Amino acid sequence: MLISKMAAEGGGKEMNEIKTQFTTREGVYKLLTHSEYSRPNRVPFNSQGSNPVKVSFVNVNDQSGNGDRICFNVGRELYFYIYKGVRKAADLSKPIDKRIYKGTQPTCHDFNHLTATAESVSLLVGFSAGQVQLIDPIKKETSKLFNEERLIDKSRVTCLKWVPGSESLFLVSHASGNMYLYNVEHTCGTTAPHYQLLKQGENYSVHTCKSKSTRNPLLKWTVGEGALNEFGFSPDGKFLACVSQDGFLRVFNFDAVELHGTMKSYFGGLLCVCWSPDGKYIVAGGEDDLVTVWSFLDCRVIARGHGHKSWVSVVAFDHYTTSVEESDPMEFSGSDEDFQDQMIHFGRDRANSTQSRLSKRNSTDSRPVSVTYRFGSVGQDTQLCLWDLTEDILFPHLPLSRTRTHTNVMSATSPPVGATIITNTSSNTANGNNSGANTPGINSLSTTLPRSNSLPHSAATTATANNTNKANSGGGNSSGIMDSAIATGVSKFATLSLHDRKERHHEKDHKRNHSMGHISSKSSDKLNLLTKTKTDPAKTLGTLLCPRMEDVPLLEPLICKKIAHERLTVLIFLEDCLVTACQEGFICTWARPGKVGLLSSQNQASSPSGTVV
């Protein structure tokens, strides 16, 4: 692999470019060069004009205790391997299944986790010409082909997923902007489907298939303008978040087929989306180079993150490093060093109690509980960013009982400061003295907050906007989503920066011009599509749909590291590691702190030392 070669050669500037390890508050993440998956020849794939490399995992619960399986596509090829993760080196000479396709390329895939066994798995594969295949890579069978004659949709499959909790239903989105609900038991028919309108709303419509006998697709969703780039189900499976080339995030109540809320990107199309483990927040990324955090309950943008230098291709929450803790175990005081020592000593393993504590956070219990969500993003700039979403962002109108986070908070009206100052007291200054509110109400926003830490809208404005939104959506249900779906883990806390106004205005001008250049040079056809949209971007900027840069907190990444030569297309958080992949066809495993284990010590002599950052 290229990274090991460069490290072995000690190659000066190049070696510093690609990181093989990075440090966060919880410790050091290390690239396991022997756990790299790729095509068997390990040759970098010439990715010109080919579809993004994607990765899917499934656990088949076999007796050996190594039940993890990995599937990935590179160009026209699809591979299925035993995934050994941090435990053993990858053996690429023995794929369980390998397929090479002619005339079309795989674009995405998804395993059905409900039905997976050691003898059989159901894998859906979407293709560039619009077809969907159902295969069993263990039995090496191809059971069904959907949209075979391309009568349903002729455009590229952009995303497909099994409907949560279902053994037979799956949802497929296309570059046409349409989404289709299929049942594996039904056929697609020999003629093009005829549709009947079921429901229509602002910039979306849903049709049922008109036919004498039940056939696929069961439903056809038309969402927004241009390609529907990705969608994701909420942890409880009740809601669906979609991001489109028109720059909109749209969240639907899936069963009721109703619009719950919308958000507009700062600029350009949105490319990726994910839900927090408890379903309370959605993060989206795209062509504005930003990650945007949207509150499901409040239906508004609560923060943006700036760290990428190009389009953001994947966002994902880390279920294992999302933490919940009660406020009384310890007070933090003293110097930064003391703070870090205390943090390292504190909460080595809070794993088992995270779930119960999160439900306390959502109950009416008056004991304050602090929550930190960890999420990550990768982009076309070949960089990995990790972010922490802390309670001073989530609940800006709640006083903090103690100083917990390293925070750099500047009011938008404060004079510019030359250097970034990390301080332990600013979170109290920003939050503690500004509000008497006790609980985060859905429509409550304090008007006395500094502009840097909350949206400068009165509660009345927000309430009106939310009510209007609900009226448009046909009364979509805005109740909270399943609280207990959070996975457990250990976390440390965020570095947050709110830039002053001057920096932001400069940033805004740069961002809009820069991204316009991106779109016109890279995809003039998409630009034409965007100009046809009903919503004028100039009218949405500065509204709840798309707040100005200075109106919401701007997060800075905990880490932002270049980890590949080609654009990154995959980021998946697993219990022992995180997995990334780039367009050259290399799937990399990064061991979490303390999880390097046997593999590393066995191969220490031959593995690169990496760049400590």
Side-chain angles (χ1 to χ4, degrees):
M1 182 207 165
L2 249 42
I3 294 177
S4 16
K5 270 187 211 157
M6 288 184 333
E9 291 158 10
K13 187 180 156 193
E14 274 261 60
M15 182 179 166
N16 294 330
E17 264 193 11
I18 303 283
K19 304 297 181 188
T20 57
Q21 58 188 66
F22 56 85
T23 305
T24 63
R25 289 171 191 271
E26 59 271 13
V28 182
Y29 288 75
K30 294 184 180 177
L31 176 67
L32 301 179
T33 49
H34 297 272
S35 292
E36 180 189 83
Y37 288 78
S38 67
R39 297 183 301 162
N41 60 13
R42 295 187 185 271
V43 173
F45 175 69
N46 179 5
S47 58
Q48 216 58 38
S50 96
N51 288 290
V53 172
K54 299 280 184 182
V55 172
S56 297
F57 284 101
V58 68
N59 189 293
V60 297
N61 297 316
D62 70 353
Q63 299 305 308
S64 70
N66 187 12
D68 290 327
R69 302 289 180 266
I70 184 173
C71 170
F72 57 91
N73 60 292
V74 182
R76 296 186 298 118
E77 300 163 20
L78 188 75
Y79 291 93
F80 182 69
Y81 280 100
I82 292 176
Y83 179 70
K84 297 173 183 175
V86 299
R87 296 182 297 277
K88 288 182 181 175
D91 180 2
L92 298 185
S93 64
K94 298 174 184 167
I96 300 171
D97 195 12
K98 171 190 173 180
R99 296 174 186 234
I100 301 176
Y101 295 95
K102 290 176 184 173
T104 186
Q105 291 187 1
T107 56
C108 48
H109 29 85
D110 190 41
F111 286 106
N112 192 322
H113 296 268
L114 276 184
T115 60
T117 66
E119 292 76 42
S120 170
V121 290
S122 295
L123 176 67
L124 287 169
V125 185
F127 291 90
S128 53
Q131 305 93 333
V132 175
Q133 196 180 42
L134 175 64
I135 64 177
D136 187 332
I138 294 180
K139 291 181 175 172
K140 297 185 171 50
E141 290 175 359
T142 302
S143 54
K144 286 189 179 168
L145 193 55
F146 302 91
N147 192 28
E148 182 175 7
E149 303 299 327
R150 304 169 70 219
L151 297 169
I152 295 168
D153 202 302
K154 290 181 166 56
S155 66
R156 174 174 52 91
V157 174
T158 52
C159 181
L160 50 69
K161 286 187 167 70
W162 292 95
V163 174
S166 173
E167 296 187 2
S168 55
L169 296 176
F170 62 93
L171 194 61
V172 182
S173 65
H174 288 258
S176 60
N178 295 327
M179 256 188 327
Y180 303 91
L181 181 67
Y182 288 86
N183 186 328
V184 292
E185 309 298 333
H186 299 156
T187 62
C188 290
T190 52
T191 56
H194 292 281
Y195 296 106
Q196 187 172 349
L197 184 66
L198 175 68
K199 193 162 283 190
Q200 196 162 12
E202 192 183 345
N203 267 337
Y204 83 96
S205 61
V206 183
H207 291 78
T208 54
C209 192
K210 249 173 45 177
S211 70
K212 288 175 184 172
S213 57
T214 312
R215 62 164 281 184
N216 283 319
L218 304 178
L219 290 179
K220 172 188 177 180
W221 296 61
T222 303
V223 180
E225 302 273 337
L228 200 164
N229 290 320
E230 193 178 29
F231 63 83
F233 285 98
S234 60
D236 66 355
K238 291 179 182 172
F239 289 85
L240 182 72
C242 306
V243 288
S244 301
Q245 196 56 43
D246 61 7
F248 277 88
L249 159 74
R250 294 177 177 89
V251 182
F252 295 95
N253 181 321
F254 184 62
D255 292 329
V257 197
E258 283 171 351
L259 187 65
H260 168 78
T262 57
M263 181 271 283
K264 172 76 173 62
S265 70
Y266 191 68
F267 188 86
L270 285 175
L271 304 174
C272 50
V273 67
C274 66
W275 290 81
S276 65
D278 56 4
K280 290 189 168 183
Y281 302 97
I282 294 172
V283 173
E287 294 174 357
D288 54 11
D289 307 354
L290 302 169
V291 292
T292 303
V293 185
W294 190 80
S295 164
F296 175 83
L297 294 173
D298 295 350
C299 290
R300 67 180 181 93
V301 174
I302 57 165
R304 289 190 179 104
H306 179 233
H308 287 285
K309 299 181 181 70
S310 186
W311 297 356
V312 180
S313 45
V314 184
V315 283
F317 272 87
D318 182 353
H319 292 216
Y320 304 94
T321 314
T322 289
S323 79
V324 184
E325 61 186 60
E326 290 162 22
S327 62
D328 50 342
M330 59 192 299
E331 291 287 328
F332 293 119
S333 58
S335 68
D336 282 2
E337 286 77 12
D338 295 340
F339 173 83
Q340 283 178 336
D341 289 343
Q342 284 175 303
M343 285 311 301
I344 288 163
H345 170 72
F346 178 55
R348 275 279 178 220
D349 188 15
R350 302 191 299 275
N352 298 331
S353 57
T354 304
Q355 187 167 333
S356 59
R357 287 174 172 181
L358 192 71
S359 31
K360 272 191 196 171
R361 180 73 188 85
N362 301 313
S363 70
T364 50
D365 193 340
S366 59
R367 291 180 73 188
V369 175
S370 63
V371 186
T372 302
Y373 296 89
R374 166 71 55 82
F375 66 94
S377 56
V378 294
Q380 299 200 3
D381 56 1
T382 71
Q383 292 195 119
L384 162 71
C385 292
L386 294 181
W387 314 80
D388 268 0
L389 192 55
T390 47
E391 59 184 10
D392 42 359
I393 293 296
L394 303 175
F395 314 115
H397 46 307
L398 284 180
L400 286 182
S401 58
R402 63 168 195 271
T403 306
R404 278 188 48 260
T405 47
H406 276 294
T407 324
N408 170 25
V409 181
M410 287 183 272
S411 166
T413 51
S414 66
V417 181
T420 301
I421 302 159
I422 300 291
T423 162
N424 277 27
T425 55
S426 53
S427 49
N428 273 356
T429 339
N431 299 298
N433 309 322
N434 286 310
S435 167
N438 293 321
T439 52
I442 287 179
N443 292 326
S444 65
L445 279 172
S446 166
T447 50
T448 57
L449 285 170
R451 291 192 61 193
S452 62
N453 232 24
S454 82
L455 282 170
H457 296 292
S458 67
T461 320
T462 316
T464 317
N466 273 350
N467 291 340
T468 318
N469 184 37
K470 279 177 198 148
N472 291 342
S473 68
N477 176 13
S478 69
S479 63
I481 293 189
M482 178 163 138
D483 297 325
S484 60
I486 183 156
T488 55
V490 177
S491 167
K492 302 301 180 278
F493 300 98
T495 303
L496 158 74
S497 166
L498 300 178
H499 287 196
D500 58 90
R501 180 170 283 187
K502 267 191 183 175
E503 285 173 337
R504 284 187 183 148
H505 273 294
H506 169 74
E507 172 93 345
K508 186 165 68 178
D509 294 340
H510 158 75
K511 187 70 63 188
R512 295 184 77 79
N513 298 336
H514 183 62
S515 296
M516 179 60 94
H518 259 316
I519 287 200
S520 51
S521 63
K522 287 193 179 176
S523 49
S524 51
D525 53 330
K526 285 179 186 168
L527 186 62
N528 295 338
L529 275 175
L530 289 174
T531 53
K532 290 179 201 162
T533 54
K534 293 171 191 168
T535 317
D536 180 0
K539 287 178 186 166
T540 60
L541 186 66
T543 67
L544 275 177
L545 271 179
C546 178
R548 295 181 185 279
M549 288 301 276
E550 62 267 29
D551 289 346
V552 292
L554 193 65
L555 302 173
E556 285 190 345
L558 299 173
I559 62 112
C560 187
K561 303 296 176 192
K562 179 179 171 68
I563 60 166
H565 285 291
E566 278 291 329
R567 64 186 187 272
L568 292 160
T569 56
V570 169
L571 174 62
I572 297 170
F573 290 97
L574 301 176
E575 191 170 1
D576 295 335
C577 57
L578 57 97
V579 175
T580 60
C582 71
Q583 201 49 27
E584 285 187 318
F586 295 119
I587 290 92
C588 297
T589 297
W590 301 77
R592 289 185 186 270
K595 298 289 186 183
V596 177
L598 192 61
L599 181 61
S600 167
S601 53
Q602 281 175 342
N603 300 311
Q604 217 149 21
S606 58
S607 68
S609 60
T611 312
V612 182
V613 287

